[in-house]
Amino acid sequence: MHDLAARPTGAVKSAVAIAIEIMILLNIDLRIAQVRPHVEESVQRFPALTRFRSFFAIGVLANRKAFEVATNMLVVINGEQRKMIHKEKVMTTENLESIARKLVAPGKGILAADESTGTIEKRLKSIGVLSTEENRRAYRELLFTTAGAGEFISGVIFFDETIRQKTRDGRTFVKALEEQAIIPGIKVDKGAKPMANFRGEKITEGLDGLRERVAEYRKLGARFAKWRAVITIGENIPTGTCIAANAEALARYAALCQEGDLVPIVEPEVLMDGTHTIERYFEVTQQTLESVFHALYEHRVSLEGMLLKPNMVLSGKECPQQASVQEVAEATVRCMKRVVPAAVPGLVFLSGGQTDQQATEHLNAMNQFGDLPWQLSFSYGRALQAPVLKAWKGEQANVAEAQQAFHHRAWCNSKARFGKYTEDMETAKAA
């Protein structure tokens, strides 16, 4: 009954099963040449192995074949497990990279429709429309259902309210975008707030609970995310502390997004408000981006699976000497070349306080340089929406005209992606 030699098959099966159990419980990488002389030492070092003492004794003394099978299985399975983990990481990175590259596909850019409740209230108020949930929903539906928009728009950034809203016919906004092959994204930060002890400077909040929000937004259909940091130029600011704090937050956000299978758009915006020169703007933008990429490296963020949303290098809004379109393009490209690694798939510029036409002109001039390591694209909010709001005026009868305005503005920026935009296109029909 107890003669193990008479039951070699059962012993082998038992040994394999126990080997797998040991691997799962302790993930001990045992090698055949090391196991036999150190069995007792291993048991003493790992108390959890005590209940397997009889197995080792039987394996070594009574059934060498069973023991060899067990240890061989342990080594092989452990090796395969490591390969699977590595493969999973590679596949996830490749997946994020493919989404990032789709977002900056030639001729396309991103619509930033992630206005907070307060911001969209101001925009609707500018055309005499109350900011009710239904009016906000109707305006967003106008944008997201514009026929042919998918030809020029690769992605749309939602606000929390927006990703949960639907069209009048019952489709989610996510579904409406996907029908045009437009990728849904989501703003995940909680806004820039005054930074304690640093007058005039801000820090973006929202890291608490971000992992859970990322998981929820991923289930709702988002494939990428955005986090905006704000850097202000003024007397004795920005400070290194403010820049470093915002860079750290951006890096932590980016790491959590990639962990949750969302492509992070990293947006460190140096505001154009102020009297500063383009040279000062260049200096602060470079300093900010250097700090951001240092933090991204420290947090092991995959650069191939992210996008950068930087400001263009401009003269301050109140600066007496305003830089020309060509000067802005040259300064911006030179600044990006200094600090943005070639591994980043693309730069999706924000429009900031520029007019819709200025944003298009600057993007166009930058793309005329050619031979750059990244795609130069756009992620515009106001610069795409200003003519839409003006045409809509909150009236259902104006929806078609407003959608035409959106389509035309997107078309102009699509041309700018190739450096082929001209001023004549402002009055031309999109082709």
Side-chain angles (χ1 to χ4, degrees), residues 107-183:
K108 294 187 178 185
I110 296 170
L111 166 64
D114 58 325
E115 300 89 355
S116 65
T117 304
T119 300
I120 198 167
E121 181 178 7
K122 293 177 183 176
R123 295 200 177 164
L124 293 178
K125 187 178 180 180
S126 71
I127 58 170
V129 176
L130 288 176
S131 182
T132 64
E133 183 177 353
E134 174 52 29
N135 284 340
R136 294 193 296 270
R137 189 209 62 77
Y139 173 62
R140 290 157 175 163
E141 178 176 352
L142 178 164
L143 293 168
F144 306 154
T145 59
T146 297
E151 185 179 350
F152 315 120
I153 301 296
S154 59
V156 171
I157 308 174
F158 288 144
F159 184 60
D160 181 79
E161 177 185 68
T162 320
I163 199 171
R164 305 174 195 279
Q165 291 179 318
K166 298 180 179 181
T167 61
R168 285 187 298 170
D169 60 12
R171 292 173 295 158
T172 64
F173 281 163
V174 168
K175 180 67 174 174
L177 291 184
E178 289 176 341
E179 289 175 356
Q180 291 208 62
I182 298 174
I183 304 170

Side-chain angles (χ1 to χ4, degrees), residues 226-240:
K226 192 205 79 167
W227 178 291
R228 175 176 177 254
V230 175
I231 305 297
T232 304
I233 299 178
E235 188 176 355
N236 300 319
I237 61 172
T239 61

Side-chain angles (χ1 to χ4, degrees), residues 203-205 207 210 227 229 244-254 295 299:
I203 182 72
T204 300
E205 298 180 348
L207 289 172
L210 180 56
W227 178 291
N246 277 291
E248 175 72 9
L250 281 165
R252 289 179 60 191
Y253 138 80
H299 284 270

Side-chain angles (χ1 to χ4, degrees), residues 206-227:
L207 289 172
D208 288 349
L210 180 56
R211 177 178 275 116
E212 292 73 24
R213 297 203 306 280
V214 165
E216 180 188 11
Y217 290 137
R218 183 65 182 83
K219 289 179 181 178
L220 289 172
R223 301 297 284 113
F224 68 99
K226 192 205 79 167
W227 178 291

Side-chain angles (χ1 to χ4, degrees), residues 195 197-202 230-243 270-271 273 276 280 283-284 287-288:
M195 187 169 174
N197 296 328
F198 288 81
R199 181 177 296 181
E201 298 190 282
K202 294 185 176 182
V230 175
I231 305 297
T232 304
I233 299 178
E235 188 176 355
N236 300 319
I237 61 172
T239 61
T241 303
C242 176
I243 290 175
V270 180
L271 299 176
D273 302 324
H276 49 273
R280 175 62 174 153
E283 177 187 1
V284 175
Q287 181 185 0
T288 299

